[in-house]
């Protein structure tokens, strides 16, 4: 836990968030500035700065994280229509919050940029 990290503070309940799923050391909550009809952020409770620090998570956390992301998409009925999962690292990735998070986005047709 980092006192100065926004998402650690959400994990600790110090900052409110619309939590949609929480289990196995993972939390999913709605993005405060959604870019798509469904835009959920998935984070590990344990602080690592980004995907580049993923080895700071346990093997169980790493594998639970993937299953958790898929479950969030399923919760939102996105399996039939499709969805996109992204994570940003560093300046070129335009990462703005330095606690690993996955954007789970759906409910519309994504741009073909990637
Ligand atoms: P990134 O640019 O990949 O670091 O994404 C950070 C995301 O966090 C952005 O999509 C923001 O809209 C979102 N965000 C920032 N503050 C909050 C908050 N308090 N609650 C929920 N989402 C947030
Ligand atoms: Zn953090």
């Amino acid at each position: 836990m980092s006192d100065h990290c926004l998402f650690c503070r959400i994990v600790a309940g110090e900052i409110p968030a619309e939590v949609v799923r929480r289990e196995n050391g993972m939390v999913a909550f709605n993005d405060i500035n959604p870019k798509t009809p469904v835009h959920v952020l998935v984070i590990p409770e344990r602080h690592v700065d980004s995907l580049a620090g993923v080895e700071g998570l346990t093997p169980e956390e790493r594998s639970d994280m993937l299953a958790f992301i898929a479950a969030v998409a399923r919760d939102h009925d996105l399996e039939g229509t499709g969805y996109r999962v992204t994570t940003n690292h560093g300046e070129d990735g335009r990462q703005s919050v330095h606690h690993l998070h996955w954007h789970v986005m759906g409910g519309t047709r994504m741009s073909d940029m990637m």
Side-chain angles (χ1 to χ4, degrees), residues 4 15 18 23 25 48-49 57 88:
H4 304 296
I15 291 178
E18 292 174 12
E23 65 188 4
V48 292
D49 287 348
L57 302 178
N88 298 323

Side-chain angles (χ1 to χ4, degrees), residues 29-45:
F29 52 96
N30 288 324
D31 196 292
I32 204 167
N33 182 21
K35 308 287 192 303
T36 46
V38 175
H39 188 172
V40 176
L41 299 178
V42 168
I43 66 171
E45 290 184 354

Side-chain angles (χ1 to χ4, degrees), residues 33-102:
N33 182 21
K35 308 287 192 303
T36 46
V38 175
H39 188 172
V40 176
L41 299 178
V42 168
I43 66 171
E45 290 184 354
R46 189 194 304 276
H47 180 100
V48 292
D49 287 348
S50 77
L51 186 60
V54 73
E55 290 180 359
L57 302 178
T58 67
E60 291 75 21
E61 285 168 331
R62 283 181 240 158
S63 106
D64 287 347
M65 191 160 62
L66 290 179
F68 185 90
I69 290 167
V72 166
R74 198 178 313 123
D75 288 345
H76 289 79
D77 293 325
L78 296 177
E79 284 188 348
T81 48
Y83 57 93
R84 179 172 284 168
V85 179
T86 60
T87 190
N88 298 323
H89 167 76
E91 288 193 19
D92 281 358
R94 293 182 174 268
Q95 182 181 9
S96 64
V97 178
H98 295 269
H99 179 131
L100 172 61
H101 54 281
W102 300 86

